[in-house]
Each structure stands twice: as structure tokens, then as C-alpha cells.
Amino acid sequence: MHGLRVAIVGAGPAGSALATLLTEAGHDVVLFDDLRRPELVVGESLIPAGIPPLRRLGVEEAVAAIGMHKPGATLTWSKSHRFTFRFARYRSWMVPYAYNVPRREFDALLLARAEAVGARRVTVRAGLGRGAASSDGAELALAPDALAATGWSAPDLIVDATGRARASARILEIPATTGPRNDVAYFGHFTGWQWRDEP
């Protein structure tokens, strides 16, 4: 099969991981990175289900080097309501640990891996717009300056990995409804703390 030309807009963890996998599969990948990073980024506390993908990407050892080994978690609702567990309790069906990672270093590590396997990173803000309609409906298109940066006449596939709420869906006029939940998670980091709970 001939490799596809894939434009991935957004160089965060999702975009970088996808760029790595597609490049390893023989596709020509351009990863657009606008170099902007928000001050507060959620995602420092990884879960056991994330370990197999890190292994597949070939970065678990590097993640372990920058992160803190996490054997379990304590969920606290109030002074009298808390639930503590160790991941090893579920080792028969999942990896028995995870990591807490500094998010900027984690993002940089995944981006470096994508570049190491051959994905091309372009530091341009890739504008997305509505392209010509095909028999399958409307399509996304790269803005002219972004397209020029790829060196292609056109990509075969555009992936929106920006994390922006429904950017591509709005361009393509795909309707969506949101549910009643509007959750917020608060988290904190502690130093010098000892785990006193029994497994």
C-alpha cells in the first residue's frame, strides 16, 4: 500500500502519539505545532490503561525517568469519605502502576519521539477551513500557508488534534449536543508524604 500524506494539526500528546504511529507505519506525516502552550494543562496524572500505549510508542522508560511511579490512588470526597486502592489489586487485567508526570516535559518527550521516527514538525499555526465538497460531503482543508509548508499539493488526511472544542465539527457544520454534566477536577501535589494505607 502506498503511504498516505497525513497532516496532523496539534502537537500535544494525541497529535504526537498519532504522528509516531503513522510514521512508523510508513506514512508521510506533517505535524503542525504552533508553539503555544496553555499555562494550566490537565493530564499530569496518568492511569494504568495509558502504560501499554506508552510501551507501543517506545517511551515508557523515558516517561518513568521524568515521572513519579504511582502505585495507586486515594479519592477524597470529605474528611469522612475517601476511597483508597492500589492498582496491583487489579493486576489480573491491567498494568499495576501508572505515573504522575510533569506535563510540559511529557509533551516534549512525545513530540521528540515523533520527530525521531521521521514525522516532520512544522512550526506554523495551521489554519483549517472548509474544502470543496465531495460525494461524501464537505471536507476539511488546510489554509494556503499551511499547505505550502507541507510541500504537498494536498494531504490525503487531515487530523484535528488541537483539543479545541469541536473546531473541525463547527467548520463542517456537524451538530452536537452536550450532556448535563459540567465537571471540574481539583488536584494538588505534595512532597514528603508517605503512603500509610495497607494494600
Side-chain angles (χ1 to χ4, degrees):
M1 176 183 155
H2 178 267
L4 298 174
R5 295 167 301 191
V6 183
I8 301 176
V9 182
S16 295
L18 181 61
T20 297
L21 296 174
L22 290 175
T23 302
E24 288 180 333
H27 303 291
D28 184 10
V29 177
V30 172
L31 183 60
F32 286 94
D33 182 0
D34 66 7
L35 301 176
R36 296 185 310 162
R37 303 292 186 267
E39 285 301 313
L40 176 63
V41 183
V42 177
E44 297 171 335
S45 182
L46 304 182
I47 60 173
I51 303 304
L54 294 177
R55 290 176 181 166
R56 169 67 184 86
L57 292 166
V59 298
E60 185 188 355
E61 285 185 21
V63 170
I66 66 165
M68 179 175 38
H69 187 265
K70 182 171 71 172
T74 298
L75 308 175
T76 303
W77 285 271
S78 70
K79 289 181 180 181
S80 59
H81 294 90
R82 72 182 209 147
F83 177 62
T84 298
F85 62 97
R86 288 186 180 259
F87 300 132
R89 178 178 179 181
Y90 309 102
R91 77 169 55 246
S92 64
W93 55 276
M94 71 180 198
V95 176
Y97 61 89
Y99 300 102
N100 276 3
V101 295
R103 182 58 195 272
R104 290 186 192 281
E105 289 89 339
F106 180 69
D107 288 14
L109 187 153
L110 292 175
L111 179 55
R113 177 64 178 157
E115 290 184 287
V117 300
R120 294 183 288 142
R121 179 170 67 122
V122 176
T123 55
V124 171
R125 184 170 184 186
L128 291 174
R130 191 179 180 107
S134 69
S135 59
D136 296 327
E139 294 186 2
L140 285 177
L142 291 173
D145 60 332
L147 182 58
T150 67
W152 305 324
S153 57
D156 295 307
L157 178 66
I158 298 173
V159 177
D160 180 357
T162 60
R164 284 179 261 164
R166 303 189 64 253
S168 296
R170 280 195 304 275
I171 292 168
L172 298 176
E173 298 176 2
I174 298 170
T177 56
T178 57
R181 293 178 58 144
N182 188 14
D183 294 345
V184 175
Y186 294 95
F187 62 93
H189 296 272
F190 302 89
T191 56
W193 187 82
Q194 297 297 315
W195 185 290
R196 294 185 178 88
D197 296 300
E198 290 298 319

